[in-house]
């Protein structure tokens, strides 16, 4: 099979939910509801011996009793029932041979590290393997594919109903169910809700693992950006090589955790004693052009930026600030990203800025920075921003404003949004709009038009640094000078 | 997942490690091996010399007084051998002394360290950093997965905090950075073709203006 059996998880014609429930407090209820809400077009088949009907759908007492074809099976039954469930699968496959994939959401398998947990995981995997069924999990929250309108998670995603099933270009794979669930809910709560394409929680990686899914996403035409939450992988070299191959085509962002080193090592060569796992991961990420982020916040910002903001075509950065202190904070943050340089704009642009702005505005002292002052009007903001964007020496702009009470904020937001619209395919702008709830309305308005704004200069600069790193890697992979 | 150095292995002596590296024409500072005191002739080597004990049981020679620097006459070679032998008999009476190594003492250049590790989860890893005794404290090293090309080797060097030292600071001349990068590429090939060598330290290699010279190396071999 060319898709390595992954297709069943994304475009199943029918999904049987084993452990489906009418009780809204049970995950077996949420899964069925999520499939409804996302508008899944195939058949939803509840299985539960205690129910006649689930959410208005006819419910079956066993997997082997379903008359229709079943392509994907979602297991939310307690792990204690796995023997019985897999016996039913075995029986069904002997006569029907139709199931291609299982998502085992339930926990209580290998991750609890007991003999019984391991035995249950083996039972699940051995039966699946016997019939060539691919398994995601166990101990995961499931899979969302917005492009194909599949949602097998039991998470209340908080995504506004009208945005459900709206696919962005970002696909995400998580080794932790809790990290996955929190990102899903947090992402949906942002000013510009984060639109995933495929969202994959892989739990214990009993069968399907990072490499299977990365290879699928590599070829998936609607996935443009890939992000991973990674705790560890037994064949790290092979994983990194796979990520390297993909990074040449699509950005690969990773939050790799587990940085503390296991105690002292046995006496060895100096090389051996210096070989800490995290430092090696860190270096190989650099070697292979993989963007490593350090925190959940940076992961969220970076995922969103790569999905929305155009990639800068160079490292020449201009910092345009309406506020003194935040401008200095931004300049400091730039100095921590050695891959970024302050842009030297032309004399013409400098002159235009001086003519536009109030006399006491500071233009390019130092180079690459302009302070338009707290007295700046809406016109000062947007006109100076456009002048800087038009300068060919500028690859990206960090634009900072702390909106004061006398500035018509909605008008500012509207005009900034229009400018972002105009430049969206040309040059990246990182708008930092700093005034808490005072500007919430403005940021939401810009966010709903699918543009990104930032709360602090540091976060904007960090993301720009990640984007320039990736630009440099792509340039170098194409044999450019570096 | 924790990384451990392979416990089931043994160290090669410095001389045996050199023999392996010579097959790949790594640049090793001129040396000769003497087995007995009456063979203590320098046969064309230039003073000053370094005198080192050859023993597979003493991988970290300097810790046990197994090295004498700045040897400038035949008399000093002989007295040096006697002193090392006496010192080791006291500290490591079980250690087997196979002989002594006389090597030209490299006079200038920056001391760098190169390393190789066959890692169970990552594969063949390469390392480079400033050599000398502080490397494990400062940890200013960079790592790559082999193979690497010349550009990657240069990026690997530029990543070091100490890189400006190689470029020359305060009026110093630039060191042979290209040569060092080529050596890293070669080390990658060596590592991929010799999986039995689970760990290798080349420490130090002296990086000079126009060339490089390896002044010590230690290999760890898999097996009994």
């Amino acid at each position: 099979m060319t898709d390595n059996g992954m297709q069943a998880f994304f475009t199943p014609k029918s999904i049987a939910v084993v452990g489906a429930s009418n009780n809204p407090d049970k995950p077996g209820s949420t899964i069925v509801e999520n499939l409804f809400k996302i508008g899944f077009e195939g058949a939803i088949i509840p299985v539960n011996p205690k129910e006649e009907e689930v959410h208005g759908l006819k419910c079956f007492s066993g997997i082997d009793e379903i008359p229709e074809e079943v392509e994907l099976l979602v297991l939310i039954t307690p792990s204690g029932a796995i023997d019985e469930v897999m016996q039913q699968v075995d029986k069904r496959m002997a006569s029907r041979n139709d199931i291609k994939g299982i998502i085992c959401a339930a926990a209580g398998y290998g991750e609890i590290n007991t003999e019984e947990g391991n035995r249950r995981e083996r039972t699940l995997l051995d039966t699946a393997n016997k019939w060539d069924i691919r398994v995601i999990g166990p101990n995961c929250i499931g899979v969302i594919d917005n492009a194909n309108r599949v949602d097998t998670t039991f998470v209340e995603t908080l995504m506004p109903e009208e945005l459900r099933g709206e696919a962005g270009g970002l696909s995400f794979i998580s080794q932790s169910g809790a990290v996955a669930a929190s990102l899903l809910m947090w992402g949906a709560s942002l000013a510009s809700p984060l639109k995933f394409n495929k969202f994959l929680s892989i739990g214990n990686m009993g069968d399907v693992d990072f490499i299977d899914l990365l290879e699928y996403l590599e070829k998936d035409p609607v996935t443009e950006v890939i992000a991973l939450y990674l705790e560890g992988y037994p064949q790290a070299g092979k994983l990194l090589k796979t990520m390297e191959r993909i990074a040449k085509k699509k950005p690969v962002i990773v939050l790799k955790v587990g940085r503390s080193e296991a105690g002292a090592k046995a006496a060895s060569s100096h090389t051996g004693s210096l070989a800490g796992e995290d430092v090696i991961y860190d270096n190989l990420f650099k070697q292979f052009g993989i963007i490593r982020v350090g925190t959940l916040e940076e992961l969220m910002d970076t995922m969103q930026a790569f999905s929305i903001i155009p990639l800068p075509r160079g490292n020449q950065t201009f910092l345009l600030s309406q506020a003194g202190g935040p401008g200095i904070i931004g300049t400091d943050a730039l100095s921590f990203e050695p891959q970024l340089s302050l842009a030297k704009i032309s004399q013409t642009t400098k002159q235009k800025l001086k003519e536009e702005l109030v006399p006491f505005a500071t233009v390019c002292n130092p180079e690459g920075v302009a302070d338009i002052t707290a007295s700046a009007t809406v016109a000062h903001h947007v006109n100076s921003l456009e002048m800087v964007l038009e300068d060919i020496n500028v690859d990206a702009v960090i634009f900072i404003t702390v909106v004061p009470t006398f500035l018509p904020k909605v008008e500012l937001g509207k005009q900034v949004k229009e400018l972002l619209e105009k430049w969206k395919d040309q040059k990246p702008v990182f708008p930092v709009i700093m005034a808490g709830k005072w500007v919430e309305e403005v940021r939401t308005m810009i966010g709903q038009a699918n543009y990104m704004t930032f709360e602090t200069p540091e976060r904007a600069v960090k993301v720009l640094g990640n984007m320039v790193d990736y630009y440099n890697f792509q340039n170098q992979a194409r044999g450019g000078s570096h | 997942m924790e990384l451990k150095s392979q416990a089931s292995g043994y160290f090669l002596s410095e001389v045996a490690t050199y023999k392996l590296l010579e097959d790949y024409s790594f640049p090793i500072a001129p040396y000769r091996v003497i087995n007995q005191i009456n063979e203590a002739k320098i046969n064309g080597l230039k003073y000053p010399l370094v005198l080192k004990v050859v023993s597979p049981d003493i991988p970290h020679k300097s810790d046990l007084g197994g090295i004498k620097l700045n040897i400038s006459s035949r008399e000093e070679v002989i007295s040096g051998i006697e002193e090392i032998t006496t010192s080791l008999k006291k500290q490591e009476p079980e250690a087997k002394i196979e002989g002594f190594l006389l090597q030209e003492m490299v006079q200038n250049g920056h001391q760098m360290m190169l390393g190789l590790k066959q890692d169970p989860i990552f594969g063949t890893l390469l390392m480079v950093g400033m050599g000398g005794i502080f490397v494990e404290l400062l940890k200013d090293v960079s790592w790559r997965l082999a193979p690497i090309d010349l550009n990657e080797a240069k990026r690997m060097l530029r990543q070091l905090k100490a890189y400006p030292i190689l470029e020359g600071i305060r009026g110093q001349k630039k060191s042979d950075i290209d040569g060092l990068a080529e050596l890293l590429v070669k080390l990658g090939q060596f590592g991929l073709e010799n999986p039995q060598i689970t760990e290798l330290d080349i420490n130090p290699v002296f990086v000079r203006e126009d060339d490089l010279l390896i002044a010590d190396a230690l290999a760890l071999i898999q097996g009994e």
Side-chain angles (χ1 to χ4, degrees), chain A residues 393-412:
Chain A
N393 304 299
V394 174
D395 297 314
V397 182
I398 305 280
F399 169 70
I400 304 169
T401 181
V402 183
V403 180
T405 49
F406 52 81
L407 194 69
K409 57 181 177 180
V410 176
E411 184 56 26
L412 175 71

Side-chain angles (χ1 to χ4, degrees), chain A residues 381-399:
Chain A
H381 277 85
V382 291
N383 292 346
S384 59
L385 177 54
E386 180 134 47
M387 285 168 189
V388 172
L389 282 166
E390 279 167 351
D391 191 297
I392 56 158
N393 304 299
V394 174
D395 297 314
V397 182
I398 305 280
F399 169 70

